[in-house]
Amino acid sequence: MDELNSLTVSEERLEDCRDVVEPDLQDLIQRALTSGFSREEILIAVSELVAEDFATIMETPSVH
């Protein structure tokens, strides 16, 4: 497996991005809960999707 050697992300921009993304994530979780999925199922599914997207932008193999 390839190692992630360098990734520079501004802490301030990351905090700003989290502020923008968080409400939509909470809405997504709420919609999935009303569809009958557990919070654990939702968080696992979201984390797998994020890992796949992250692997794509980093051009590394997915772990899933």
Side-chain angles (χ1 to χ4, degrees):
M1 182 188 312
D2 294 338
E3 284 187 34
L4 179 61
N5 294 323
S6 176
L7 178 65
T8 304
V9 178
S10 162
E11 186 174 336
E12 187 174 302
R13 284 186 56 83
L14 184 57
E15 288 177 24
D16 291 343
C17 185
R18 286 177 59 120
D19 290 343
V20 170
V21 171
E22 199 270 337
D24 290 334
L25 176 61
Q26 292 305 316
D27 288 345
L28 172 69
I29 291 170
Q30 197 57 44
R31 284 194 312 273
L33 285 169
T34 60
S35 294
F37 295 101
S38 70
R39 184 169 289 280
E40 292 83 4
E41 290 170 319
I42 298 162
L43 294 175
I44 290 168
V46 168
S47 69
E48 287 179 347
L49 291 168
V50 169
E52 290 171 6
D53 276 2
F54 193 81
T56 300
I57 65 165
M58 296 305 295
E59 299 178 357
T60 60
S62 176
V63 295
H64 300 285

